[in-house]
Amino acid sequence: MHRLFAELEPSLTVTEQNLANLVRYILRLNIFDVAEIKRLRCESVTSSDENATAEDAAPQIVEQPANVDAVVNTPVLVDSNDDGTVAQELELEHMGSTLEEAVVETRSTSLENRPRLPCIALSKRNRAVVRTLNPMLVTYLEASRDICEMDSIFDTALAVCRIIGAKVSTAGRATGQSSAIPAWRRKIEERIAKSRALIGRLICFRSGNNRPRIVRTVRMAFAGTNVSLSQPDITQKLTERIDDLKQRIAAWGKRIRRYTERSTCFNQNRLFQSDQKRLYESLERPMVS
């Protein structure tokens, strides 16, 4: 593969490792479907056989990238019929209306509340949609009166995501993080709140508060043990129970901090691999307690 690439593009200096990395990148993004990959493999095998058997096969290999580029750069609309003029006009009208809706929606929304657009795969269908919407973008750019109206590029990107069916987040760009509390942390915080309430009532009973609700709570705290509220060393038992609950609260608090640090490290490592810019922006943003 490296030898064929060197014959096709003698002006470019690419190592075998770089070429292998690019192949894995293309396969991971699913830029070409299975049929297209099989066709490209058959053409490469055929061209390599011709190079091995004939000396005049170089012009044929040089012509191959032009044919591939012509196929890729042709603005073919998806799901169009063979006779196709009416289908193309309907699809162009649909794309234009989608772009118009995106422009109206975006210009009436503040910058903080705009949705975060996902990264889309560089497939033939997505490229065809982008090439179709690019000429429509010129009209909105020429009609812009000031810098506030020159955000049509975001409008076009939003329209592309809606046409190809990509999932667009509606949470906005202000926070950058989800505000939902994990289930494990919510359960531990509920345990801490119940233990603190129990400590308060035990302290009240030790101070001489004998209201029925306090007494009932103390009896529930010593349920399953041989401790009676009328025994002489009840004050010592209450102190031991309070210390035990305080130690549990401290342990639960350390568990929350440990899990939070571990989750933060995991999310930062994953964000560093996918989007380093967002990681550095989150690190520079002041922390809110």
Side-chain angles (χ1 to χ4, degrees):
M1 181 175 61
H2 182 265
R3 179 179 55 81
L4 291 176
F5 184 83
E7 294 176 357
L8 292 173
E9 298 291 342
S11 60
L12 299 179
T13 303
V14 180
T15 62
E16 297 179 358
Q17 185 64 40
N18 295 139
L19 197 59
N21 293 338
L22 288 175
V23 171
R24 284 194 295 268
Y25 177 77
I26 292 173
L27 294 177
R28 187 171 65 250
L29 291 183
N30 294 326
I31 297 178
F32 302 105
D33 54 6
V34 179
E36 186 69 17
I37 292 177
K38 289 183 179 179
R39 186 183 65 83
L40 292 175
R41 285 177 177 174
C42 293
E43 291 182 358
S44 63
V45 172
T46 304
S47 61
S48 62
D49 293 339
E50 292 176 354
N51 284 334
T53 56
E55 297 180 355
D56 56 348
Q60 299 177 2
I61 298 177
V62 174
E63 292 176 358
Q64 180 182 353
N67 296 331
V68 175
D69 292 338
V71 173
V72 174
N73 294 324
T74 303
V76 179
L77 295 178
V78 184
D79 296 333
S80 61
N81 298 326
D82 294 336
D83 45 316
T85 305
V86 178
Q88 291 182 4
E89 292 179 355
L90 291 176
E91 190 161 354
L92 284 174
E93 184 179 356
H94 171 67
M95 290 183 180
S97 61
T98 305
L99 178 59
E100 183 69 25
E101 292 175 359
V103 170
V104 174
E105 178 182 349
T106 303
R107 293 187 178 181
S108 61
T109 307
S110 61
L111 181 62
E112 293 80 9
N113 295 328
R114 291 183 182 179
R116 182 176 295 276
L117 301 182
C119 296
I120 60 176
L122 297 178
S123 61
K124 283 188 175 182
R125 177 177 180 270
N126 297 344
R127 289 179 178 178
V129 173
V130 172
R131 285 195 299 268
T132 306
L133 289 179
N134 278 337
M136 302 180 186
L137 176 62
V138 180
T139 305
Y140 295 98
L141 290 178
E142 292 177 350
S144 301
R145 294 171 297 180
D146 53 8
I147 192 65
C148 297
E149 294 184 358
M150 293 188 64
D151 54 358
S152 302
I153 298 178
F154 181 85
D155 308 336
T156 310
L158 180 59
V160 169
C161 293
R162 290 179 176 177
I163 291 173
I164 66 178
K167 185 178 181 181
V168 180
S169 175
T170 58
R173 306 170 61 93
T175 58
Q177 295 181 355
S178 175
S179 59
I181 300 177
W184 60 267
R185 180 168 182 172
R186 186 168 57 251
K187 291 179 181 179
I188 295 178
E189 289 178 350
E190 290 176 356
R191 294 176 188 173
I192 293 176
K194 291 180 180 179
S195 299
R196 286 176 176 172
L198 181 57
I199 288 175
R201 296 193 176 184
L202 291 176
I203 292 176
C204 291
F205 182 79
R206 188 177 60 179
S207 301
N209 190 344
N210 294 325
R211 291 192 306 175
R213 181 180 296 180
I214 300 296
V215 174
R216 185 169 60 251
T217 305
V218 174
R219 287 177 178 174
M220 291 177 60
F222 288 102
T225 62
N226 296 325
V227 178
S228 175
L229 301 184
S230 59
Q231 63 187 30
D233 58 343
I234 186 62
T235 303
Q236 181 181 357
K237 298 295 183 180
L238 289 172
T239 304
E240 293 177 357
R241 183 62 175 167
I242 291 172
D243 293 339
D244 179 67
L245 291 174
K246 288 182 178 180
Q247 292 178 4
R248 290 188 180 185
I249 291 175
W252 287 332
K254 291 181 180 179
R255 183 181 300 178
I256 290 178
R257 288 193 295 270
R258 185 172 67 250
Y259 286 176
T260 303
E261 292 176 357
R262 180 180 178 183
S263 177
T264 303
C265 293
F266 175 77
N267 293 331
Q268 288 180 352
N269 291 334
R270 185 173 58 181
L271 188 60
F272 181 80
Q273 296 177 357
S274 60
D275 192 349
Q276 298 182 10
K277 181 179 178 180
R278 285 180 55 191
L279 172 63
Y280 295 138
E281 289 179 352
S282 64
L283 293 178
E284 293 175 357
R285 189 180 300 117
M287 299 296 295
V288 179
S289 59

